[in-house]
């Protein structure tokens, strides 16, 4: 089905829904690279005007990537709930935006319709929204998950402690981990990007974190971000695996480029569940995504990068994840050119993920060749804190020495929690207070030799 919109004396024609969505997207370098972006701001406005009039039902009748050739499309269509959709089935995309922003639409209403939403519907409405709209609507929709602690409660924000090391040196990783914990970071998880996919090295890291966790009774979860097949192998060998990691994308072909399928993810999910390591819940999958991944794999099929990204969230929600992380600026300026594009993408991803019922966090980051700096990251950090982000990253000095990119630091987490009054996961806050790291309000205490964690840290480091 084609779509048209007239502005003045010029009529714009959009061949199909895929084209209309791409032309309606805010400007970004990835869509320009793919040749799907609007040629002018006027064409972009025309596309948004036409998109606003499209009934939400149209997204159930016109697949952007054919059902027969893409398992993500099949997942989206087969798992769609007509009952949940019924409440909003009469709306156009423009009406849906107004409904989302209405003062009468609350968390209960957004939860009721979750299973009735497709990623294409959610991507479409985001393209009609200003940044403040994305923030306001996302804030209404908490997504709460549990493993050893509870993440995503309103008024709370967690931090993934990322103590990477360029040679996987266990003592170096342990030192960064202790540093982050002393700043009150790590309630989302302690997650290491290994420099090697060697199974023995991965297992050694898992054992180190688990030994520390058990020794100090830390109510958090660990993850070594290796390929899911390595994690399955580690589980089979008896390694202490908490969260199961995998990078995912929004098309079958892009996921094949990662070496995965929905069936493999199901196998990994079941392997993780079999360990029964959660204490307050069993959400255990950890997924990472990022706008541009499908395009970089030549697996986007002409779909704009943001819509491809939101399709990845449909993959994520199938497996009841504990955390989903959009690594927003990591792929580079070929896909998100500057601070403005990174900021917009981060707000889009968070909004779209939350609307689909996904526990969204964000690695607020950029590569050194992007037209961005730490001030841009401060801005996005603050906006996402207002929007109700589930978690952010905590990296020593905001500079990852293994992955060579810029993110957010332990101090950045302190800043956003202070100015917005955000708390950590409640179980983790109780532990921090018991270890004399924070007071009852969650504020850091001055370091002293009496702190139990410091008292034993040197001895523990000696046996790592």
């Amino acid at each position: 089905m084609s779509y048209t919109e007239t502005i003045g004396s010029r009529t714009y024609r959009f061949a199909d829904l895929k084209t209309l969505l791409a032309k309606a997207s805010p400007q970004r370098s990835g869509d320009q690279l793919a040749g799907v972006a609007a040629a002018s701001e006027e064409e972009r406005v025309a596309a948004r005007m036409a998109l606003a009039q499209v009934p939400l039902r149209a997204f159930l009748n016109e697949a952007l990537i054919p059902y027969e050739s893409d398992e993500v499309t099949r997942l989206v269509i087969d798992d769609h709930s007509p009952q949940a959709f019924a409440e909003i089935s009469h709306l156009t995309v423009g009406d849906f935006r107004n409904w989302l922003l209405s003062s009468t639409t609350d968390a209960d209403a957004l939860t009721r319709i979750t299973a009735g939403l497709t990623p294409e519907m959610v991507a479409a409405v985001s393209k009609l929204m200003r940044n403040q709209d994305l923030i306001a609507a996302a804030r209404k929709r908490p997504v709460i998950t549990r493993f050893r602690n509870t993440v995503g409660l309103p008024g709370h924000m967690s931090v993934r402690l990322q103590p990477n090391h360029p040679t996987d040196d266990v003592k170096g990783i342990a030192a960064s981990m202790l540093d982050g914990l002393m700043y009150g970071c790590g309630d989302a998880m302690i997650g290491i990007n290994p420099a090697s996919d060697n199974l023995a090295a991965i297992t050694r890291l898992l054992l180190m974190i688990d030994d520390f966790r058990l020794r100090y009774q830390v109510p958090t979860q660990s993850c070594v971000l290796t390929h899911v097949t390595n994690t399955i192998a580690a589980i089979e060998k008896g390694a202490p695996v908490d969260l199961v990691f995998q990078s995912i994308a929004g098309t079958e072909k892009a996921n094949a480029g990662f070496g995965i399928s929905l069936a493999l993810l199901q196998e990994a999910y079941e392997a993780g569940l079999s360990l029964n390591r959660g204490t307050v819940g069993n959400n255990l999958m950890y997924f990472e995504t990022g706008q541009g991944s499908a395009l970089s794999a030549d697996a986007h099929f002409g779909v704009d990068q943001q819509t491809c990204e939101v399709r990845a969230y449909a993959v994520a929600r199938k497996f009841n994840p504990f955390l989903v992380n959009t690594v927003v600026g990591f792929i580079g300026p070929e896909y998100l050119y500057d601070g403005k594009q990174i900021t917009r993408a981060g707000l889009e991803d968070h909004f779209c993920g939350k609307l689909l019922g996904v526990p969204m966090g964000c690695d607020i980051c950029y590569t050194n060749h992007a037209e961005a700096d730490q001030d841009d990251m401060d801005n996005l950090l603050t906006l996402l804190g207002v929007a109700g982000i589930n978690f952010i990253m905590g990296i020593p000095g905001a500079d990852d020495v293994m992955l060579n990119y810029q993110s957010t630091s332990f101090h950045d987490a302190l800043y956003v929690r202070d100015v917005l009054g955000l708390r950590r996961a409640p179980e983790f806050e109780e532990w921090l207070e018991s270890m004399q790291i924070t007071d009852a309000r969650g504020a850091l205490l001055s370091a002293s030799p009496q702190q139990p964690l410091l008292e034993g840290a040197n001895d523990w480091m000696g046996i790592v």
Side-chain angles (χ1 to χ4, degrees):
M1 178 179 175
S2 63
Y3 303 85
T4 63
E5 186 64 43
T6 300
I7 296 181
S9 60
R10 169 170 273 182
T11 298
Y12 291 90
R13 292 179 174 83
F14 309 98
D16 50 27
L17 199 51
K18 175 167 61 177
T19 303
L20 182 62
L21 286 168
K23 302 294 187 183
S25 291
Q27 184 179 25
R28 62 204 59 202
S29 51
D31 289 340
Q32 292 170 323
L33 179 65
V36 301
S40 67
E41 286 301 317
E42 184 174 280
E43 185 181 26
R44 184 170 288 112
V45 169
R48 289 175 179 170
M49 292 171 67
L51 181 60
Q53 301 170 55
V54 175
L56 291 179
R57 288 185 178 276
F59 294 93
L60 301 175
N61 302 321
E62 186 178 343
L64 305 190
I65 302 173
Y67 182 94
E68 298 75 17
S69 61
D70 187 90
E71 68 174 0
V72 177
T73 300
R74 292 194 291 274
L75 171 68
V76 168
I77 298 301
D78 294 349
D79 281 8
H80 180 260
S81 169
Q83 293 76 24
F85 182 59
E87 185 172 346
I88 56 169
S89 62
H90 62 290
L91 300 178
T92 65
V93 177
D95 293 333
F96 185 39
R97 172 189 175 275
N98 295 337
W99 183 85
L100 289 170
L101 296 174
S102 169
S103 60
T104 60
T105 300
D106 58 12
D108 289 341
L110 293 174
T111 302
R112 282 197 308 270
I113 67 166
T114 297
L117 295 174
T118 71
E120 291 83 1
M121 293 176 193
V122 173
V125 75
S126 75
K127 298 175 192 298
L128 305 183
M129 302 176 89
R130 293 171 57 186
N131 287 1
Q132 65 174 251
D133 300 336
L134 298 172
I135 294 167
R139 187 176 175 85
K140 294 182 182 184
R141 181 51 166 109
V143 179
I144 300 165
T145 57
R146 296 175 173 87
F147 189 75
R148 285 200 192 91
N149 59 29
T150 306
V151 170
L153 293 166
H156 292 248
M157 185 199 73
S158 296
V159 175
R160 170 190 161 188
L161 174 49
Q162 182 172 303
N164 293 345
H165 192 280
T167 64
D168 289 341
D169 179 78
V170 175
K171 287 188 182 293
I173 289 171
S176 291
M177 183 178 75
L178 286 167
D179 187 26
L181 288 167
M182 294 304 297
Y183 279 100
C185 294
D187 52 337
M189 69 165 170
I190 299 169
I192 302 166
N193 298 86
S196 165
D197 275 335
N198 178 275
L199 187 57
I202 291 163
T203 302
R204 186 163 59 250
L205 294 175
L206 286 168
L207 288 168
M208 180 272 289
I209 301 175
D210 206 52
D211 174 72
F212 179 87
R213 182 187 65 79
L214 291 170
R215 180 180 293 251
Y216 291 99
Q217 295 297 299
V218 191
T220 191
Q221 35 285 319
S222 65
C223 185
V224 175
L225 282 66
T226 187
H227 192 271
V228 71
T229 53
N230 290 332
T231 303
I232 293 172
I235 290 172
E236 291 172 346
K237 289 184 177 295
V241 173
D242 288 344
L243 304 186
V244 177
F245 163 78
Q246 183 56 50
S247 294
I248 58 173
T251 73
E252 180 178 348
K253 183 180 178 183
N255 282 326
F258 287 135
I260 61 166
S261 64
L262 297 181
L264 181 59
L265 292 177
Q266 183 67 34
E267 179 184 350
Y269 179 47
E270 292 173 2
L273 287 173
S274 72
L275 299 178
N276 196 31
R277 289 175 60 82
T279 55
V280 298
N282 61 0
N283 301 112
L284 56 81
M285 299 299 284
Y286 173 57
F287 295 116
E288 287 194 342
T289 68
Q291 289 193 28
S293 58
L295 174 58
S296 67
D298 192 26
H300 61 104
F301 302 99
V303 178
D304 69 272
Q305 68 179 39
Q306 188 240 344
T307 302
C308 278
E309 169 74 0
V310 185
R311 284 168 56 93
Y313 305 154
V315 174
R317 72 174 174 179
K318 178 68 175 176
F319 303 100
N320 303 312
F322 183 63
L323 307 169
V324 177
N325 183 24
T326 170
V327 192
V328 67
F330 184 73
I331 301 182
E334 299 85 357
Y335 306 96
L336 295 169
Y337 179 72
D338 57 14
K340 181 174 183 177
Q341 291 189 14
I342 292 170
T343 297
R344 173 70 190 190
L347 295 176
E348 288 171 348
D349 293 351
H350 178 248
F351 161 80
C352 292
K354 285 291 184 65
L355 217 57
L356 289 172
V358 171
M360 290 302 297
C362 185
D363 190 342
I364 301 162
C365 64
Y366 64 100
T367 56
N368 288 315
H369 61 308
E371 290 294 322
D373 59 27
Q374 213 64 38
D375 285 337
D376 295 307
M377 301 305 102
D378 287 349
N379 293 343
L380 180 54
L381 170 63
T382 307
L383 294 173
L384 285 172
V386 174
I389 193 80
N390 278 31
F391 72 100
I392 62 167
M393 312 302 284
I395 296 170
D399 184 5
D400 192 297
V401 295
M402 195 279 280
L403 293 172
N404 294 310
Y405 77 114
Q406 309 302 311
S407 185
T408 48
S409 71
F410 308 144
H411 300 81
D412 294 331
L414 292 178
Y415 147 73
V416 75
R417 282 176 171 149
D418 182 54
V419 298
L420 298 178
L422 300 173
R423 304 299 294 258
R424 302 169 182 86
E427 301 89 343
F428 193 77
E429 281 213 334
E430 290 178 12
W431 177 79
L432 289 172
E433 187 179 356
S434 73
M435 299 299 288
Q436 301 170 35
I437 296 172
T438 64
D439 63 19
R441 298 172 296 111
L444 290 183
L445 297 171
S446 298
S448 70
Q450 286 71 47
Q451 287 180 333
L453 187 60
L454 285 177
E455 284 178 357
N458 287 337
D459 291 339
W460 178 75
M461 286 289 287
I463 63 174
V464 168

